[in-house]
Every structure is written in C-alpha cells, then in structure tokens.
Amino acid sequence: MKTLTLLRHAKSGWDDPVARDFDRPLNAKGKRAAAMVGRHMRSLGLAFDHAIASPAVRVTETLEQIESGYGRTIAPAWDRRVYLASAATLLDVVHGFPAETQSVLLVGHNPGLEDLVLMLVADGADPLRDAVEDKYPTASIAELQFDAGSWEDIGSATARLTRFIRPRDLDPTLGPDAD
C-alpha cells in the first residue's frame, strides 16, 4: 500500500512588495496555521519516507513552520516542476517517486493539489472528497492511500481519501477571514 500526503502551502502575504510570485512569503496567520498543522501531524504520528516540494518561498517557509510544530526535520527534495503545477504534472512527479518509498509528502500549490485529489479519488458519496471539491484551503493536508505496488500504477480514481485536515478544523480562528 502506498500513502501520498498532499500539503498546500500556508497563507502567504499578498501585501508584501516582492517582484515575483515565487518569492511571496507567508503572512502571520499562515505561519501560525502551519505550526498548528505540524503539531497535529505529530499528534497523529504521521511519518514519511520521502518528501518533495516546490522551492517557492511560501512553501519553504511553510515547511519551516510545519517542522517547528511537527518536531522533526522533513528535508524534502526541492523540485521546480511542483511550483504552480497542474494535476497532470503532479501525477508525473508521483510516478517518479522512488519505488521503495511507501509514504510520501508532496508540498505545493493550488489549483494543482486540489485537482490531483479530485482526479485520483473517484467521484461519489464521499464527504471528504466533497470538502476538497468545495475548497482546498492553505495549509490543508489531504492523505490518499492506494492499493498499488508501484507509484507508476497510480492513476485516475485509484485512491481512497483517508484524511482532509484544514487549519480551521484545528482552530476556528484560522478559518476564512470575515469581510
């Protein structure tokens, strides 16, 4: 069995005057949410034998905060293909995971992560899938399990969505901002 955990970067600062989207940092709420998600990951006993991530600043800062709560170093392989990748590109990345790995963390961006979940999990009466389809918020985790012997065997409708954790599920103050 293979387990793929998808983590969307935490909330970034749109008001930060960076020249490139790639360089956009987290805002204070994003830092707080990522640290809380890291603590929750630790409480669940989540462990990964491989990690891969977009090298964008908001992803690297998300992982720093996740690690502070998680209590472990994640040390991902940084892969530029993950930056703003489509679901199809992300699936190509998944197909290239080392054969011996069983549990992988993939850290990136939307809409690619959300679209990947919706591609890999069959449409049906699944409240977790419905929640992902409704919105895959920043700093959220989706855990997918596959009855596959190889990462290359993973394709459309082959996953079970076993967890979908949003920061607001852990702390309501981390939910959407009220306008």
Side-chain angles (χ1 to χ4, degrees):
M1 177 175 307
K2 302 285 188 186
T3 302
L4 174 61
T5 302
L6 304 174
L7 169 63
R8 183 177 175 199
H9 68 79
K11 192 162 186 61
S12 58
W14 284 97
D15 55 349
D16 197 290
V18 295
R20 301 180 316 159
D21 173 75
F22 186 88
D23 298 321
R24 209 161 16 94
L26 296 185
N27 65 20
K29 185 175 181 180
K31 290 176 182 178
R32 198 164 53 90
M36 176 164 286
V37 169
R39 286 190 298 276
H40 191 66
M41 289 168 56
R42 181 179 59 214
S43 76
L44 293 172
L46 298 185
F48 312 101
D49 48 27
H50 185 65
I52 192 160
S54 161
V57 169
R58 59 191 178 274
V59 172
T60 62
E61 290 184 356
T62 295
L63 282 169
E64 289 169 6
Q65 296 300 316
I66 289 283
E67 288 174 345
S68 75
Y70 186 51
R72 297 182 193 170
T73 301
I74 294 173
W78 303 104
D79 190 332
R80 182 82 182 203
R81 294 177 299 162
V82 178
Y83 174 65
L84 301 180
S86 68
T89 298
L90 292 173
L91 186 57
D92 285 343
V93 170
V94 168
H95 287 158
F97 290 163
E100 67 278 3
T101 61
Q102 297 301 312
S103 182
V104 177
L105 175 66
L106 174 61
V107 189
H109 310 265
N110 250 6
L113 291 177
E114 178 178 330
D115 292 344
L116 183 62
V117 172
L118 299 178
M119 174 198 302
L120 296 177
V121 179
D123 196 2
D126 182 345
L128 288 179
R129 187 187 189 282
D130 293 345
V132 169
E133 191 169 16
D134 183 46
K135 185 172 185 181
Y136 195 129
T138 53
S140 293
I141 292 177
E143 182 185 80
L144 300 101
Q145 292 187 341
F146 305 88
D147 290 323
S150 166
W151 291 107
E152 292 176 356
D153 296 336
I154 291 170
S156 295
T158 58
R160 285 183 318 282
L161 182 59
T162 54
R163 293 183 217 271
F164 183 53
I165 303 161
R166 302 167 298 190
R168 71 174 173 230
D169 298 330
L170 307 174
D171 179 349
T173 68
L174 294 171
D177 293 327
D179 292 326

